[in-house]
Every structure is written in structure tokens, then in C-alpha cells.
């Protein structure tokens, strides 16, 4: 399997993104065998992908470049949540589970129950159930303190947790290595979301 740092791979991705890679009548592109993971049983394909991308995960989880140089990308939020849940299960150690406290702001008649709201996953908000382990990579979804390195998209690694805070270490940028505490904070989806409340 080719490494993603291989210059050929970067050029190949640019050709696909630019629409220059040859496709078939259905608009599909055949990926070269050396960048594909062989298909196995359907229920273990995601495990095979995780094991391939994050080879020897627990032996390397303290290595900053190992964690920050790998990612599994997906086009759909529900797939991202499924991959994240499966990924966390690959880490050793105890799991901490955080739950959101969901409520509708403009709902004087209580039409939207918290049970219903817990099933929604608006863009830019974490899932209702967030499971983490020490060593799990996380991404900040809001600008909390941009001058201190805490802005939307900041990549961190969990170093510990308490009931209402996450102890994390910034992994990249000018503030790499800085330890911070992420508190529980109120979040609202953006106004352009598909929900009318």
C-alpha cells in the first residue's frame, strides 16, 4: 500500500479533484489496487480500515506525529459518528461517556421532547453521546480562545477527563504541546440549519 506522503498519491488526488482522472460511463473512477484495502467480511471492513490506517495504534498513541498524520474521511455525519465510535473502541483504557443536554429554544408548548432532540445531529455540534478514551484525538468545533490556540478545527488529544471537563493537549500549530481544559459549554446550531427551531 502506498503511503499518503508519496508524491504520486498527492498528484493522483489532485487529478481526481480536478476531474482529470479517467472515469467510466457512470462517472466512477477505478482506484489502483495498491491504495485499496482488500475487502473482507462486511461487518469487519471498518475494523480492517482502522487497523490499516492506525497500524499499532496503542503502541504509538503517545507519538504526536502518528496521531496527527492520519485520518479517515467521510462525506456523511452519520458515518463520521459511526467511525468515531468504532475508533474509540480500538483505544485501550477506560471510556468516559458525555451526554448533551438538548432543548429547543423557541418551543413554549414543548413540542420537541429531549428524546427527539437527542436523535438529531446538526452540523457543527457533537453527537448526543460522546465516548472518549485517553489518547483519543478530538477536534474543536468552536472558537473558544483563538489567541491561545483554541479555534475551530484545532486538533487535540485527550489526556484525561472529569465530569464536566476534558483535559486535552493541543497537537499542532504554534501552541502544540499546551495542555488545556475544555469545559462543558452551551452550543446552538447555525441559523441556516434544516431545523425550524
Amino acid at each position: 500500500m502506498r503511503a499518503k506522503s508519496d508524491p504520486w498519491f498527492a498528484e493522483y488526488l489532485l487529478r481526481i479533484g480536478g476531474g482529470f482522472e479517467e472515469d467510466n460511463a457512470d462517472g466512477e473512477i477505478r482506484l489502483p489496487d495498491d491504495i485499496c484495502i482488500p475487502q473482507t467480511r462486511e461487518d469487519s471492513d471498518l475494523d480492517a480500515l482502522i487497523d490499516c490506517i492506525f497500524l499499532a495504534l496503542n503502541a504509538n498513541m503517545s507519538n504526536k506525529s502518528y496521531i496527527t498524520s492520519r485520518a479517515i474521511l467521510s462525506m456523511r455525519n452519520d458515518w463520521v459518528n459511526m467511525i468515531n465510535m468504532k475508533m474509540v473502541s480500538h483505544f485501550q483504557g477506560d471510556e468516559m461517556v458525555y451526554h448533551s443536554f438538548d432543548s429547543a429554544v423557541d418551543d413554549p408548548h414543548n413540542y420537541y421532547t429531549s428524546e427527539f432532540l437527542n436523535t438529531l445531529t446538526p452540523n457543527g455540534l457533537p453527537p448526543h453521546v460522546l465516548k472518549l478514551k485517553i489518547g483519543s484525538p478530538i477536534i474543536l468545533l468552536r472558537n473558544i480562545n483563538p489567541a491561545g490556540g483554541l479555534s475551530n478545527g484545532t486538533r487535540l488529544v485527550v489526556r484525561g477527563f472529569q465530569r464536566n471537563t476534558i483535559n486535552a493537549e493541543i497537537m499542532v500549530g504554534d501552541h502544540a504541546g499546551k495542555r488545556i481544559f475544555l469545559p462543558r459549554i452551551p452550543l446552538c446550531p447555525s441559523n441556516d440549519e434544516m431545523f425550524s427551531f
Side-chain angles (χ1 to χ4, degrees):
M1 173 175 265
R2 290 182 188 258
K4 73 174 190 172
S5 58
D6 186 334
W8 172 89
F9 188 69
E11 292 169 14
Y12 180 70
L13 289 178
L14 289 172
R15 285 197 313 270
I16 291 174
F20 302 115
E21 191 63 27
E22 186 178 334
D23 59 355
N24 65 16
D26 295 328
E28 300 170 333
I29 297 171
R30 186 183 190 304
L31 299 176
D33 292 338
D34 61 345
I35 67 168
C36 296
I37 298 171
Q39 186 174 6
T40 58
R41 292 186 345 228
E42 185 175 328
D43 61 341
S44 65
D45 283 346
L46 183 53
D47 288 314
L49 176 65
I50 290 170
D51 290 341
C52 183
I53 302 299
F54 292 92
L55 186 66
L57 172 67
N58 287 295
N60 290 300
M61 64 188 251
S62 61
N63 181 341
K64 292 179 188 179
S65 65
Y66 175 87
I67 292 293
T68 57
S69 66
R70 290 162 169 74
I72 298 174
L73 304 178
S74 179
M75 298 180 296
R76 296 178 40 141
N77 286 342
D78 56 341
W79 294 349
V80 169
N81 291 336
M82 178 189 61
I83 293 168
N84 285 341
M85 295 290 251
K86 182 68 93 167
M87 185 74 204
V88 168
S89 71
H90 282 250
F91 282 88
Q92 294 175 344
D94 295 332
E95 184 176 82
M96 181 66 149
V97 180
Y98 294 96
H99 292 89
S100 65
F101 297 103
D102 298 323
S103 62
V105 176
D106 299 323
D107 186 24
H109 302 291
N110 295 322
Y111 292 132
Y112 306 106
T113 65
S114 60
E115 291 80 14
F116 167 72
L117 295 172
N118 293 344
T119 65
L120 304 177
T121 54
N123 289 333
L125 293 183
H128 169 61
V129 177
L130 180 63
K131 296 180 180 183
L132 297 174
K133 290 185 180 180
I134 292 178
S136 301
I138 56 176
I139 296 178
L140 201 58
L141 298 177
R142 291 288 186 273
N143 292 327
I144 296 176
N145 179 7
L150 298 176
S151 56
N152 184 16
T154 299
R155 296 178 71 179
L156 307 105
V157 169
V158 175
R159 296 297 184 213
F161 19 66
Q162 294 77 35
R163 181 181 170 116
N164 291 309
T165 58
I166 298 170
N167 179 352
E169 179 181 355
I170 299 174
M171 291 281 94
V172 295
D174 295 338
H175 298 277
K178 182 178 178 183
R179 295 286 286 268
I180 52 95
F181 290 93
L182 297 172
R184 180 181 291 273
I185 59 175
L187 297 172
C188 293
S190 62
N191 291 334
D192 61 348
E193 283 292 337
M194 61 182 161
F195 307 112
S196 61
F197 49 87

